[in-house]
């Protein structure tokens, strides 16, 4: 472990009362949702962690609190170091401040997490679904979301399947078929 | 589980207020829909363009048309079976995806890989990098109306696909790398085929360069188009050739070597202009460097086994099953149940032709991955497209989509 990384960990630890865990030489700092923006800013401005490599989430359903973890991977170009941040979140309407003001490329990552996990990002400039269709119900990567399948449509069962689609439920009066 | 979420109603101008500028709502600028079915978007990318005359004021990418739920599907399969899905992400860099996934699994369960397997992995990954760059070069030139380059590039790509077929039995979706090594050793013709390719290919790169590098039409369309400043590239997390074309000397093969890349001598090509032409030059030079790596790896290809001897994770060879009870049990357990991985998470990143391909893999003690997340280079690099396109002509936008080198399977997963 380099001196810079050591210092960064100590600073985050003392300033945010963060816990540190190590697995397979990967260092993870555990911070709370309120601290994540400040922690990222500290790492970027004081310790040269200038790139957000990745941001994702994990669902630990049926555990309720914490149910979700949001995981950040930060990378430092000048020092060639990687550090991971982890934020536990409650299962009941999970929400966390957005880090877009610090790392602009978090924008799509956070939209993806919102789309697939239903974790709300406060102060996000454009929080919409990104991968799923806009009228999709539910958040597919949650563990309580069943692994489904798409029914194959043929001429003989087209109407039957079409009636079960989300858009058919939303516009029952519409007679015309799928857009 | 239904919750309120933001949705933009694109049927009215008022509904799109958050996407476009005030001028579009007032009718001073024109809104144009490009894609998802459009040949120059290289797949099913949809762009909402706001135009002032022929100039792009704003461009809003809309993705997700090729979303296949790979991450969710992988959670339902064992570590070995889930690998098949990795090929389908970035379908121009299939063995590279296999490599990233295998390295992640190997790190998670702490599994060794024999040196011969590592060297063969390097050779095939570099061949695939060349193949991927060839598709990029062909389609990029085709977007700029240079038809012949496309045909030449696919001629050479065919040679690489033949080599992949020789090893894995498939031209594209090989799944040839397995956690702990390879599926099987390479055939005897392998070395000759690769040497033949190394012999032929430098002259072919020269051929492409003769067609494009000093071609006034090509230079006119690419120089000073879509300039990406190095600080912007870092801020937006851009990796791979676009980053190096902006002057940042960064390659994961050098700074965080994996699979034995530290043994090979190669350069990281960089350019300082950060425009479309610079990105072209970087990728052309990368093909030459890949050839250097392949040649070195082939020259000192070690003999020995191609898969780990750790029977708890790697199935025994067929010949042992007939004579050893233990081998039969291992074979049975590994193919019915799979191997358990410890509780914990790892993040592994490799340098794919498009940039940093990262795998976040989490195990929960069972035989199936608890969570797999793909940090795909196309997804992150595509975010920078609006920044690049601002103020350029619509015709140049086509060149810019090509130069970011996205694969929609990689973007949407």
């Amino acid at each position: 472990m380099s001196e810079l990384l050591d210092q960064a960990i100590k600073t985050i630890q003392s300033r945010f009362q963060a816990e540190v865990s190590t697995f397979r030489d990967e260092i993870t700092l555990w911070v709370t949702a309120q601290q994540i923006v400040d922690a990222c800013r500290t790492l970027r401005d004081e310790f040269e962690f200038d790139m957000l490599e990745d941001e994702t989430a994990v669902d630990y359903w049926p555990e309720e609190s914490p149910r979700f973890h949001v995981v950040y991977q930060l990378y430092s170009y000048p020092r060639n170091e990687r550090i991971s941040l982890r934020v536990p979140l409650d299962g009941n309407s999970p929400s966390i401040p957005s880090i877009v003001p610090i790392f602009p490329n978090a924008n799509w990552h956070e939209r993806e997490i919102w789309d697939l996990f239903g974790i709300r990002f406060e102060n996000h400039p454009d929080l919409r679904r990104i991968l799923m269709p806009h009228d999709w119900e539910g958040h597919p990567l949650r563990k309580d979301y069943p692994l489904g399948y798409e029914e194959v449509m043929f001429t003989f069962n087209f109407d039957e399947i079409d009636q079960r689609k989300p858009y058919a439920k939303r516009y029952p009066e519409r007679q015309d078929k799928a857009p | 589980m239904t919750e309120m979420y933001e949705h933009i109603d694109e049927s009215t101008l008022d509904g799109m207020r958050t996407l476009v500028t005030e001028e579009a709502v007032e009718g001073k600028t024109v809104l144009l829909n490009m894609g998802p079915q459009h040949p120059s978007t290289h797949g099913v990318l949809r762009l909402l363009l706001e135009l002032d005359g022929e100039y792009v004021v704003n461009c809003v990418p809309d993705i997700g048309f090729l979303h296949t739920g790979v991450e969710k599907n992988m959670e339902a399969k064992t570590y070995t079976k889930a690998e098949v899905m990795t090929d389908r992400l970035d379908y121009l860099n299939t063995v590279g995806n296999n490599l990233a996934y295998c390295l992640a699994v190997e790190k998670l369960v702490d599994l060794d890989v024999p040196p011969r397997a590592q060297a063969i992995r390097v050779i095939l990954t570099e061949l695939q990098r060349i193949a991927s760059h060839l598709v990029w070069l062909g389609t990029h030139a085709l977007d700029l109306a240079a038809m012949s380059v496309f045909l030449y590039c696919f001629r050479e790509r065919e040679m690489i696909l033949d080599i992949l077929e020789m090893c894995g039995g498939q031209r594209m979706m090989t799944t040839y790398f397995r956690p702990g090594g390879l599926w099987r050793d390479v055939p005897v013709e392998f070395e000759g085929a690769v040497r033949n390719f190394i012999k032929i290919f430098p002259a072919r790169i020269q051929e492409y360069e003769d067609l494009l590098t000093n071609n006034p039409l090509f230079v006119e369309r690419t120089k000073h188009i879509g300039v990406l400043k190095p600080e912007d590239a870092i801020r937006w997390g851009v990796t791979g050739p676009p980053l190096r074309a902006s002057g940042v000397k960064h390659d994961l093969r050098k700074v965080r070597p994996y699979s034995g890349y530290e043994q090979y001598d190669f350069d990281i090509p960089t350019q300082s202009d950060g425009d479309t032409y610079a990105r072209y030059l970087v990728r052309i030079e990368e093909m030459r460097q890949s050839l250097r790596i392949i040649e070195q790896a082939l020259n000192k290809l070690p003999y020995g086994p191609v898969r780990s001897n750790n029977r708890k994770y790697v199935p025994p060879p067929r010949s042992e099953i007939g004579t050893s009870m233990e081998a039969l049990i291992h074979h049975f357990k590994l193919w019915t149940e799979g191997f358990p991985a410890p509780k914990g998470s790892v993040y592994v990143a490799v340098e794919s032709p498009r940039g940093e391909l990262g795998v976040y893999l989490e195990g929960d003690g069972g035989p199936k991955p608890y969570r797999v997340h793909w940090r795909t280079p196309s997804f992150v690099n595509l975010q920078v497209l609006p920044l690049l396109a601002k103020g350029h002509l619509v015709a140049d936008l086509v060149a810019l989509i090509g130069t970011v080198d996205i694969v929609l399977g990689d973007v949407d997963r």
Side-chain angles (χ1 to χ4, degrees), chain A residues 62-112:
Chain A
E63 267 175 56
E64 266 308 313
S65 79
R67 174 171 170 181
F68 297 102
H69 284 176
V70 181
V71 188
Y72 302 80
Q73 310 283 350
L74 303 186
Y75 181 75
S76 163
Y77 275 113
R79 309 295 180 113
N80 186 21
E81 293 285 359
R82 187 181 286 147
I83 204 164
S84 159
L85 291 168
R86 248 181 133 92
V87 182
L89 287 180
D90 208 68
N92 187 19
S93 68
S95 117
I96 181 172
S98 164
I99 59 161
V100 173
I102 301 163
F103 298 110
N105 67 329
N107 190 326
W108 280 17
H109 285 301
E110 291 181 350
R111 278 179 69 185
E112 186 191 323

Side-chain angles (χ1 to χ4, degrees), chain B residues 118-185:
Chain B
Q118 288 195 355
I120 294 171
R121 282 179 175 188
V122 167
I123 294 172
L124 289 178
T125 318
E126 291 307 316
L127 282 172
Q128 183 84 81
R129 187 185 311 278
I130 294 173
S132 171
H133 281 347
L134 284 175
V135 176
W136 160 78
L137 180 64
T139 51
H140 187 44
L142 192 64
D143 287 343
L144 301 174
M147 178 85 195
S148 47
V149 183
F150 179 77
L151 299 172
Y152 292 136
C153 286
F154 271 62
R155 180 185 61 189
E156 272 76 71
R157 176 173 180 258
E158 211 55 33
M159 298 173 73
I160 295 173
L161 293 186
D162 283 346
I163 295 173
L164 290 180
E165 188 180 10
M166 192 185 284
C167 300
Q170 293 270 332
R171 279 155 44 85
M172 286 175 77
M173 311 296 168
T174 54
T175 323
Y176 181 57
F177 304 168
R178 301 286 164 89
L182 306 171
W183 170 45
R184 59 177 187 191
D185 205 343

Side-chain angles (χ1 to χ4, degrees), chain A residues 24 26 53-54 56-57 59-60 75 80 86 105 112 120 127 130 134 136 140 142-143 145, chain B residues 4-7 63 72 75 107-108 236 250 255 347 356 360 362 370-371 373 375 383 413:
Chain A
R24 305 265 188 255
E26 287 184 21
E53 268 191 303
D54 187 24
T56 185
D59 181 8
Y60 292 100
Y75 181 75
N80 186 21
R86 248 181 133 92
N105 67 329
E112 186 191 323
R120 199 166 257 288
L127 196 64
I130 188 167
H134 66 78
W136 195 264
R142 287 189 172 191
K143 288 282 177 184
Y145 189 98
Chain B
M4 285 293 293
Y5 48 82
E6 284 81 355
H7 161 53
I63 62 169
K72 180 89 177 168
E75 286 173 10
K107 190 172 176 187
L108 185 65
W236 283 90
H250 178 83
V255 298
Y347 179 82
E356 177 185 328
Y360 172 86
E362 181 158 338
Y370 190 75
R371 171 91 175 100
H373 173 72
R375 183 259 188 230
Q383 270 195 86
R413 284 156 287 147

